[in-house]
Amino acid sequence: MEVNSIRVALINPGPLEGVKSQEMLQISPPLGLLYLSAVLKAENYHVDLLDLVAYQYNATQVMKWIKQKDPDIVGFSTLIIPSSCVSAAVMAKEIKSWNPNIKIVFGNKHATYNDVRILKKYPFIDVCVRNEGEYTFLELINTIVKGQPLKSVRGITYSSNGNIIRNDDRALIRNLDELPFPDRKSLKYNYKMKFGLLDLAPYGFSSILASRGCPHNCSYCYGRDYMSYRMRSPENIIDELELLENENYRMVNFVDDNFTVNKKWGGKICALMKKRKIDIDWVCEGRVDQVSLELLSSFRRSNCRAIFYGIESANQETLNYFNKKTTPAQAELAVDKARRARIPFIIGSFILGAPNERIQDIRNTLKFTWKLDIDFPFINLLFTSPGTGIWKDLVDKQLLDEEKYWEGGVQVLDIISKAGSKNRIIGLMQQTLREFFVRKDFIFKQIFRFFSNSYKLHAAIKVATSNIQNFRNFRGAGSFMMAKKAVNQPGEDSKTHM
């Protein structure tokens, strides 16, 4: 094979029949695949990309696309949710049936934690790429092109002569600045910035990754054991933001697991935004114990329009189980600091359904959403999957059958609950959200803030005109209740992987 003749197709899988679900309320660019595309194109490979989460093709449309592109290698970015990993397996089987010579490669978290199970169950899948995929996938393709054995490619698991071979891990990329910027031009879809079903950026939106990994080890997430924390240089980040602005992007979401880890680094990014006159709105996530008024004020001065806090619970026992190492008092203080910094929108994330939670604990957290001075609450039911601390804990205690749930994960309430039925808890969530947005004190505060903050006023008009349908019968409010906890940003669970 010659390099220039090799055609690679990269697919971000989604529900095959285009059925919308709460897993897809936020559709963001698949950054992991966009990084892969950029790396491969730099080596003169031909790459086509299909985001099924956005386009929602059915199986017939997918196969039509595949036949038109006629790839030699197809890579799937697979998450541990049915609409991703199961759909990918169905598509992979169809593709292999059409052309047995196509190499099928799975990547991302599903391939990282379930690599051996995947290859045992689906013999038509050739290779699993574990952890970060850019250089592993590139070397894998180079090796295939040269017709060489795969035993030297670090970071892959593959089948050979009926045996499953798991090569050594590949070291993580230490210098993130060496990577090319994501190949956003390969996707023409108009992605939108959403909170629930509210469109806050109906056009000109993308996501950006300023760091990888997290120094913390929350038990519902994949944690630092999965990927150590590394930051891009502020200068490299600003170069990408400048490029995005020149390409008419108007809002970006920093999809870092935690944008507030390093105050000096975050402050320098904001200073460079001002120095180089970057006029682009942005959103980020932060921990409640790692924000200062000074840092948040610098965020606001450089056009931070919303901050998303992982608050999770009003109960210290639950926070301890999540290994958050935070307190409810810190959450209140963090929200207050964001208010004083005049960041327009403050969003809080909450998780219900920890194994030891009782109904009163659930009620405490729901009441806490009202006590905090936030604009939007996102309320999630605890979800767990292979690779997380909670998954390991429940397996070790023989409360979870991993052979039953490895392929799609599971809501913890489906296997253990001291708080009553899941339907009862969902009912409480819905009631809380309906009442959250119609409280008199909340409405009066929002009216005052809309007219005292020009950005918030313009955003309110934009939201109102774009979302009238969403608020009929409280559909808009209900959109802030998630069916499960996304351990990374939606659409972005493929942030750094293939």
Side-chain angles (χ1 to χ4, degrees):
M1 294 182 179
E2 296 181 3
V3 170
N4 290 334
S5 68
I6 295 298
R7 303 178 68 87
V8 180
L10 301 176
I11 298 177
N12 186 34
L16 283 178
E17 300 308 319
V19 177
K20 294 182 179 180
S21 71
Q22 287 188 323
E23 293 172 2
M24 298 170 56
L25 286 175
Q26 172 65 57
I27 301 175
S28 296
L31 280 183
L33 293 185
L34 299 183
Y35 269 112
L36 277 185
S37 180
V39 168
L40 295 177
K41 286 182 177 179
E43 297 297 321
N44 296 317
Y45 286 108
H46 180 93
V47 181
D48 293 297
L49 206 153
L50 178 62
D51 184 2
L52 290 175
V53 175
Y55 288 105
Q56 299 184 30
Y57 283 2
N58 59 33
T60 301
Q61 291 170 310
V62 172
M63 287 309 302
K64 181 179 178 180
W65 184 85
I66 286 290
K67 291 174 182 179
Q68 288 175 339
K69 304 304 180 182
D70 193 21
D72 301 285
I73 299 169
V74 178
F76 290 91
S77 178
T78 53
L79 306 175
I80 310 176
I81 53 176
S83 64
S84 177
C85 61
V86 176
S87 293
V90 171
M91 286 183 280
K93 185 176 182 180
E94 289 293 317
I95 293 169
K96 203 74 165 184
S97 297
W98 172 67
N99 184 352
N101 294 319
I102 293 178
K103 296 293 184 182
I104 304 292
V105 183
F106 273 24
N108 211 325
K109 292 183 175 66
H110 183 44
T112 297
Y113 292 107
N114 294 320
D115 51 333
V116 174
R117 286 190 174 102
I118 290 169
L119 297 180
K120 283 183 178 179
K121 182 173 181 178
Y122 303 111
F124 47 84
I125 297 170
D126 297 290
V127 182
C128 284
V129 170
R130 308 189 309 269
N131 298 313
E132 288 178 321
E134 289 92 350
Y135 294 148
T136 303
F137 194 50
L138 175 62
E139 184 181 348
L140 171 64
I141 294 177
N142 287 338
T143 303
I144 292 173
V145 168
K146 295 173 183 177
Q148 297 176 344
L150 301 182
K151 61 182 180 181
S152 64
V153 182
R154 290 179 175 269
I156 67 169
T157 308
Y158 62 100
S159 298
S160 178
N161 298 321
N163 297 314
I164 295 177
I165 300 171
R166 200 173 198 272
N167 291 356
D168 292 341
D169 290 338
R170 180 181 296 271
L172 297 176
I173 302 168
R174 302 312 309 175
N175 179 17
L176 299 179
D177 287 2
E178 70 188 36
L179 290 170
F181 296 149
D183 177 27
R184 293 180 177 87
K185 291 183 178 180
S186 63
L187 287 174
K188 306 301 181 183
Y189 187 80
N190 179 30
Y191 294 93
K192 300 178 181 181
M193 180 72 228
K194 289 188 175 186
F195 296 139
L197 291 174
L198 303 181
D199 295 343
L200 291 189
Y203 61 89
F205 167 74
S206 189
S207 51
I208 185 173
L209 195 61
S211 64
R212 293 188 176 184
C214 180
H216 301 281
N217 206 24
C218 300
S219 60
Y220 53 78
C221 194
Y222 292 98
R224 59 175 178 245
D225 293 337
Y226 166 64
M227 185 173 288
S228 61
Y229 184 66
R230 293 145 296 148
M231 301 176 291
R232 294 167 58 188
S233 70
E235 293 78 8
N236 183 255
I237 297 164
I238 297 301
D239 287 344
E240 184 175 353
L241 286 173
E242 192 168 63
L243 175 65
L244 289 171
E245 184 179 13
N246 290 336
E247 293 179 349
N248 294 318
Y249 287 96
R250 292 293 172 257
M251 174 174 275
V252 298
N253 180 16
F254 282 95
V255 293
D256 306 54
D257 292 329
N258 184 359
F259 193 69
T260 60
V261 169
N262 187 307
K263 295 182 178 64
K264 182 177 180 181
W265 173 76
K268 186 172 183 181
I269 292 171
C270 295
L272 286 174
M273 285 185 191
K274 297 294 290 183
K275 181 178 180 180
R276 289 171 59 172
K277 299 180 180 180
I278 303 295
D279 185 18
I280 196 166
D281 297 332
W282 55 280
V283 178
C284 69
E285 292 187 42
R287 279 177 60 94
V288 298
D289 61 340
Q290 290 184 323
V291 291
S292 66
L293 181 58
E294 179 183 7
L295 179 65
L296 292 171
S297 296
S298 69
F299 281 9
R300 191 257 307 163
R301 288 192 297 269
S302 58
N303 289 352
C304 175
R305 302 309 190 185
I307 187 165
F308 192 108
Y309 283 132
I311 297 168
E312 318 311 6
S313 181
N315 307 294
Q316 191 60 53
E317 183 180 356
T318 302
L319 292 172
N320 293 343
Y321 179 75
F322 291 157
N323 199 35
K324 282 291 291 186
K325 300 188 186 305
T326 60
T327 66
Q330 287 175 321
E332 294 184 70
L333 183 59
V335 171
D336 178 66
K337 289 177 181 177
R339 280 282 170 236
R340 290 163 60 194
R342 300 186 65 213
I343 290 179
F345 293 102
I346 305 171
I347 303 100
S349 170
F350 304 87
I351 306 175
L352 305 180
N356 292 326
E357 280 194 320
R358 301 183 183 277
I359 193 63
Q360 187 56 48
D361 300 319
I362 300 290
R363 294 183 187 277
N364 287 343
T365 296
L366 293 175
K367 289 179 181 178
F368 198 47
T369 66
W370 288 22
K371 181 179 180 181
L372 294 168
D373 191 12
I374 58 177
D375 296 290
F376 303 113
F378 271 64
I379 306 176
N380 314 278
L381 294 182
L382 179 62
F383 176 83
T384 190
S385 60
T388 65
I390 288 176
W391 178 276
K392 184 179 185 303
D393 176 63
L394 296 178
V395 169
D396 289 346
K397 293 177 179 177
Q398 298 183 340
L399 296 173
L400 187 156
D401 181 357
E402 55 184 335
E403 292 303 320
K404 181 178 180 180
Y405 296 111
W406 68 269
E407 198 165 16
V410 63
Q411 289 182 357
V412 172
L413 284 174
D414 287 333
I415 58 175
I416 180 173
S417 175
K418 294 184 178 180
S421 71
K422 185 166 73 171
N423 286 339
R424 180 188 184 190
I425 294 170
I426 289 174
L428 291 173
M429 294 164 67
Q430 292 172 333
Q431 179 183 351
T432 299
L433 287 165
R434 281 194 298 268
E435 296 174 358
F436 181 94
F437 293 102
V438 296
R439 292 172 295 146
K440 289 183 179 179
D441 60 336
F442 175 81
I443 293 172
F444 289 147
K445 285 181 180 179
Q446 292 302 316
I447 292 173
F448 173 78
R449 287 167 182 161
F450 286 146
F451 287 99
S452 61
N453 185 305
S454 60
Y455 176 83
K456 201 158 188 174
L457 179 60
H458 288 130
I461 295 171
K462 182 165 56 178
V463 167
T465 57
S466 300
N467 297 279
I468 293 174
Q469 279 296 118
N470 292 345
F471 277 103
R472 292 185 177 179
N473 299 320
F474 291 99
R475 183 166 174 253
S479 73
F480 294 97
M481 184 189 74
M482 297 304 187
K484 65 185 182 181
K485 171 64 183 175
V487 295
N488 285 308
Q489 280 294 69
E492 296 279 283
D493 283 311
S494 52
K495 291 185 287 195
T496 60
H497 318 267
M498 65 159 294

